Amino acid sequence: MANPIKEFKNSIDGLKQSLDGVKQSVDRLKEPVDEVKTNIQETLDEAKSRSEGVKSGVKRVKASVQETKTVLGEVKETVSGAAGAIYTQERYQRLKSRKRRQGIAGAIRH
């Protein structure tokens, strides 16, 4: 018969080697997980940076829209004023034309 203490010791050494193998496997599995975590963090940082850029762009667009609204208001006022002036000018021309016709017609009757 073999020595039971030696067999037990060999069995424990075998278990230790198996445990070391498992630890190495776990460490190898952790490396890709750590890499994925790093990549996720980099992606998040890039997304935040892009988000800030987009927000800045939106603010610029809003300011541009507000400026455009202001300019359009001024254009509307200018066009309304010009339309009023043109209407008044046309009315004056019609009245002036009427007076001439009445003057010519009155001269022909007398």
Side-chain angles (χ1 to χ4, degrees):
M1 283 187 71
N3 188 349
I5 293 177
K6 259 188 176 181
E7 286 180 22
F8 183 70
K9 186 178 185 250
N10 288 339
S11 177
I12 289 180
D13 288 342
L15 287 174
K16 284 182 181 178
Q17 288 176 353
S18 293
L19 183 61
D20 287 341
V22 169
K23 285 180 181 179
Q24 289 174 358
S25 294
V26 168
D27 288 343
R28 283 193 303 262
L29 290 173
K30 282 183 179 180
E31 289 174 9
V33 171
D34 290 341
E35 185 178 336
V36 167
K37 285 180 182 179
T38 302
N39 290 340
I40 288 172
Q41 187 60 45
E42 288 175 2
T43 303
L44 284 172
D45 293 343
E46 290 173 9
K48 286 178 184 177
S49 175
R50 282 192 300 259
S51 174
E52 290 170 4
V54 168
K55 286 178 184 178
S56 175
V58 168
K59 285 181 183 178
R60 285 193 305 270
V61 168
K62 283 182 180 180
S64 178
V65 166
Q66 190 60 41
E67 241 180 86
T68 303
K69 284 181 180 180
T70 303
V71 168
L72 287 175
E74 292 173 6
V75 167
K76 182 180 175 182
E77 288 175 16
T78 303
V79 169
S80 294
I86 290 172
Y87 173 77
T88 303
Q89 189 177 23
E90 288 175 350
R91 189 167 174 227
Y92 172 75
Q93 292 295 331
R94 279 193 306 256
L95 289 174
K96 189 175 169 184
S97 172
R98 239 188 246 164
K99 287 182 182 179
R100 273 194 232 146
R101 279 191 233 138
Q102 287 175 356
I104 294 172
I108 294 175
R109 289 185 192 155
H110 289 295

